[in-house]
Amino acid sequence: EAEVAQSPRYKITEKSQAVAFWCDPISGHATLYWYRQILGQGPELLVQFQDESVVDDSQLPKDRFSAERLKGVDSTLKIQPAELGDSAMYLCASSPGLVSDTQYFGPGTRLTVL
Amino acid sequence: AQSVSQHNHHVILSEAASLELGCNYSYGGTVNLFWYVQYPGQHLQLLLKYFSGDPLVKGIKGFEAEFIKSKFSFNLRKPSVQWSDTAEYFCAVNDGGGGADGLTFGKGTHLIIQP
């Protein structure tokens, strides 16, 4: 069964450093999402892509976060500089792109900022 | 803006007990509704979803949920739980009108089934 791939699975960094996370969606999925999940909370949407275009980045802290999906396939989420409050699980999800499709989640990247 | 409220953060049940997890949402437009589950050490996976039609939806592993529009609710039920149902359960909604359809999640319910 096809899965969403994410790397790295764990990342420890120091405050003010730059970090990047990578996501490879299920093959053929046009829509890609990045979510952040703080311990004890549900995931919160950061950004949604349709192919290479941003559909919704209203919750992305654009002063330090950036996301790209240049060729409409895999995607990178970057934080620069990282802050202590960024410690969380970063989840990637993809869907085929039809209206109201199921979103399939990857295993996530656990970020710890020291 | 959408919001989702899950009534119980932690639930402990014995095997064979019946389960009902509450979920209420706040949104004025058309919504799609979901329950996701996260088993220990695994990814979030879909249990069931409601888009339209019959408000009683059946999902995997014997779970079902009922959409009650007048109460803005989408409660999850299972008549007899098993130890393997121990997991974190999330209710989620998105805009059913198309376009931006990122999910809004509740805070989750940690379910523990005692043998």
Side-chain angles (χ1 to χ4, degrees):
Chain A
E1 182 177 311
E3 294 186 341
V4 176
Q6 290 188 248
S7 68
R9 293 293 305 276
Y10 304 91
K11 179 70 177 177
I12 300 173
T13 191
E14 293 186 343
K15 179 181 163 184
S16 79
Q17 294 298 303
V19 293
F21 314 128
W22 178 78
C23 171
D24 192 13
I26 293 172
S27 179
H29 279 196
T31 310
L32 185 147
Y33 311 80
W34 284 100
Y35 292 85
R36 176 171 60 183
Q37 185 176 18
I38 296 169
L39 195 62
Q41 306 285 324
E44 296 177 311
L45 180 72
L46 291 173
V47 61
Q48 175 185 349
F49 288 93
Q50 179 72 25
D51 299 312
E52 66 275 8
S53 301
V54 173
V55 174
D56 183 2
D57 64 356
S58 58
Q59 301 302 310
L60 188 71
K62 298 181 189 64
D63 57 334
R64 297 185 300 108
F65 285 64
S66 64
E68 59 184 17
R69 194 184 184 199
L70 294 176
K71 296 183 179 179
V73 181
D74 58 339
S75 176
T76 302
L77 177 69
K78 297 178 181 177
I79 308 174
Q80 182 172 14
E83 295 181 353
L84 296 177
D86 296 331
S87 294
M89 179 74 86
Y90 289 83
L91 298 168
C92 181
S94 70
S95 75
L98 301 176
V99 175
S100 301
D101 253 318
T102 297
Q103 295 179 28
Y104 298 86
F105 284 81
T109 296
R110 168 73 66 189
L111 174 66
T112 301
V113 182
L114 303 176
Chain B
Q2 304 155 358
S3 66
V4 176
S5 174
Q6 291 186 239
H7 308 311
N8 306 99
H9 239 47
H10 298 276
V11 174
I12 302 174
L13 295 173
S14 298
E15 276 193 315
S18 64
L19 170 72
E20 181 160 3
L21 300 182
C23 172
N24 286 91
Y25 68 92
S26 172
Y27 186 62
T30 303
V31 292
N32 301 314
L33 297 151
F34 306 80
W35 276 96
Y36 277 83
V37 61
Q38 188 165 28
Y39 298 104
Q42 296 188 24
H43 311 180
L44 270 170
Q45 57 184 281
L46 183 71
L47 262 184
L48 48 79
K49 61 187 178 184
Y50 173 81
F51 290 166
S52 63
D54 187 345
L56 183 63
V57 292
K58 296 190 183 300
I60 61 172
K61 305 188 180 188
F63 286 90
E64 65 178 33
E66 184 176 12
F67 171 48
I68 303 180
K69 190 175 181 179
S70 61
K71 295 185 177 180
F72 297 89
S73 70
F74 190 57
N75 293 353
L76 181 70
R77 300 193 292 248
K78 186 171 184 178
S80 176
V81 295
Q82 300 172 309
W83 177 79
S84 57
D85 293 325
T86 294
E88 190 86 19
Y89 292 79
F90 294 94
C91 181
V93 303
N94 70 3
D95 187 336
D101 63 355
L103 294 168
T104 298
F105 285 86
K107 291 186 176 182
T109 296
H110 188 199
L111 175 66
I112 296 173
I113 306 300
Q114 296 177 329

